[in-house]
Amino acid sequence: RCRYLHHLILEGSGCERGREPGPDGVSSRIRRLLLPPTGPCNEHGENRVTRICSIGGGPGFDHVAISLAAHFLHSVQPIRENNNHRTRSIVTQVFDLYSADWEPIVTALGEACRNEIGNDSCKMTNHFADLRLSSDGALLDAVAIVDIVVFQFVLHENAAHFAVRNGRFVESVLNDVLETAKVGSFIMGIDSSHALWPILKNTALEYGWSCTNDQDLNPILFGPKSFIILERECICVTPIHL
């Protein structure tokens, strides 16, 4: 799972099938969130932080994948004499039904990741969430401020708990996440099947998201076979029924 997400970020050209990779592909736009910041930051270093929400992220594989991707992007940048070449800090909130069981592993893995990349400001915290419920306040509070939401092998596993009407999810935590996320944020989903991507896409379009999936992009070597990337372009106060 770590490899799937890592390769989707770094190897995904974001280009349509039959086209050459370009700087404006969706994966390229995600990578911009992980590049070392060059502008001035306040005393809290806030413009150096990329915030992640990992849904069903268990032991923390999403955090590791994104932290390693950011570390690589930092390592290949030219060193500047003015010392503006700062590492991007990845701050991840992991939400999982079995958060209590994962807690010691999340703590150990987070520490190992910081030691590996040499960035003490990369942090991972563990939280409870039950996707079978229609809403989760703590999860939505996180979704409202993060830059990237990730879920791997979650959608189809919980499909029985998501109501579908007219080809769209209704009254589910997915609807709440799509409605709450900020403009400019991304949702990256990886799963074992394409079956529910059309339903998720139809639902996301109503909330102002654009969609790219594995049917649109060139194959990614050693990457996920089934994935979807959503990018929020605008806020629709009332969902648009297409």
Side-chain angles (χ1 to χ4, degrees):
R1 297 188 183 194
C2 182
R3 187 191 78 215
Y4 286 160
L5 182 57
H6 179 272
H7 283 30
L8 182 55
I9 293 170
L10 290 183
E11 299 295 334
S13 64
C15 65
E16 297 180 5
R17 290 183 183 271
R19 292 189 178 184
E20 293 298 321
D24 296 323
V26 64
S27 293
S28 298
R29 294 195 293 277
I30 292 173
R31 287 195 290 271
R32 290 171 193 165
L33 295 174
L34 307 180
L35 286 169
T38 56
C41 61
N42 59 25
E43 64 272 20
H44 304 295
E46 289 180 351
N47 79 327
R48 299 174 59 182
V49 176
T50 296
R51 302 186 185 279
I52 312 297
C53 177
S54 171
I55 300 177
F61 37 76
D62 295 334
H63 175 76
V64 172
I66 295 175
S67 296
L68 290 176
H71 179 64
F72 171 78
L73 291 171
H74 171 267
S75 68
V76 298
Q77 301 303 310
I79 304 244
R80 293 181 173 83
E81 295 181 358
N82 60 8
N83 202 31
N84 275 339
H85 193 62
R86 300 181 297 268
T87 305
R88 178 73 63 174
S89 297
I90 306 301
V91 176
T92 303
Q93 296 181 69
V94 179
F95 287 86
D96 199 283
L97 180 63
Y98 302 104
S99 57
D101 297 326
W102 288 123
E103 179 64 35
I105 301 175
V106 167
T107 300
L109 192 58
E111 181 178 355
C113 185
R114 286 192 298 273
N115 293 337
E116 176 66 25
I117 65 178
N119 187 353
D120 290 337
S121 59
C122 282
K123 300 177 181 178
M124 176 169 53
T125 55
N126 191 36
H127 310 270
F128 173 81
D130 188 346
L131 300 183
R132 297 170 297 183
L133 304 178
S134 60
S135 182
D136 187 299
L139 173 60
L140 296 183
D141 287 344
V143 168
I145 64 171
V146 300
D147 303 291
I148 304 173
V149 177
V150 183
F151 60 88
Q152 294 201 59
F153 302 94
V154 168
L155 186 59
H156 291 76
E157 182 178 302
N158 292 275
H161 306 290
F162 300 145
V164 176
R165 186 182 306 140
N166 297 325
R168 297 168 179 82
F169 293 113
V170 294
E171 300 177 357
S172 72
V173 68
L174 293 174
N175 297 78
D176 295 335
V177 167
L178 292 168
E179 183 177 13
T180 303
K182 66 182 183 181
V183 171
S185 62
F186 295 86
I187 294 178
M188 305 181 72
I190 294 173
D191 221 306
S192 56
S193 170
H194 315 281
L196 295 180
W197 293 153
I199 299 174
L200 179 58
K201 177 180 179 179
N202 290 340
T203 310
L205 291 174
E206 294 189 338
Y207 291 95
W209 297 78
S210 62
C211 172
T212 304
N213 64 26
D214 51 275
Q215 304 299 305
D216 303 318
L217 303 186
N218 291 319
I220 300 171
L221 185 64
F222 299 121
K225 299 300 185 291
S226 178
F227 63 84
I228 191 169
I229 302 176
L230 304 175
E231 182 177 4
R232 190 154 205 192
E233 298 182 336
C234 64
I235 293 178
C236 300
V237 177
T238 301
I240 303 170
H241 295 285
L242 301 176

